[in-house]
Amino acid sequence: MAADEKSQAKTEQAKGKVKETAGRAVGNEHLTAEGRADQVKGDTRQAKEKMKDIAKD
């Protein structure tokens, strides 16, 4: 996995977790959903890069 792609995936996952937690804390469903979406984007990016690595080997 490329280092920059890996760091972007981790950043999106972390940002999403923070948004989701903050949304739950204040009762904001929109922010909670936005956080979950960011986490999914990070997970998807990470899976895509892993598949690239597997295909390359």
Side-chain angles (χ1 to χ4, degrees):
M1 189 179 316
D4 59 329
E5 290 290 324
K6 183 177 183 180
S7 66
Q8 282 183 330
K10 292 291 182 186
T11 300
E12 284 178 342
Q13 290 168 335
K15 182 175 78 170
K17 189 65 175 174
V18 169
K19 279 185 180 180
E20 182 180 5
T21 302
R24 284 187 180 172
V26 297
N28 186 332
E29 291 181 27
H30 179 72
L31 188 59
T32 302
E34 206 174 293
R36 282 192 214 126
D38 286 346
Q39 289 180 58
V40 169
K41 282 176 18 184
D43 292 343
T44 302
R45 183 186 302 269
Q46 189 173 33
K48 179 182 79 171
E49 290 302 313
K50 284 182 181 181
M51 292 305 292
K52 283 183 185 177
D53 288 345
I54 290 170
K56 193 172 18 173
D57 292 338

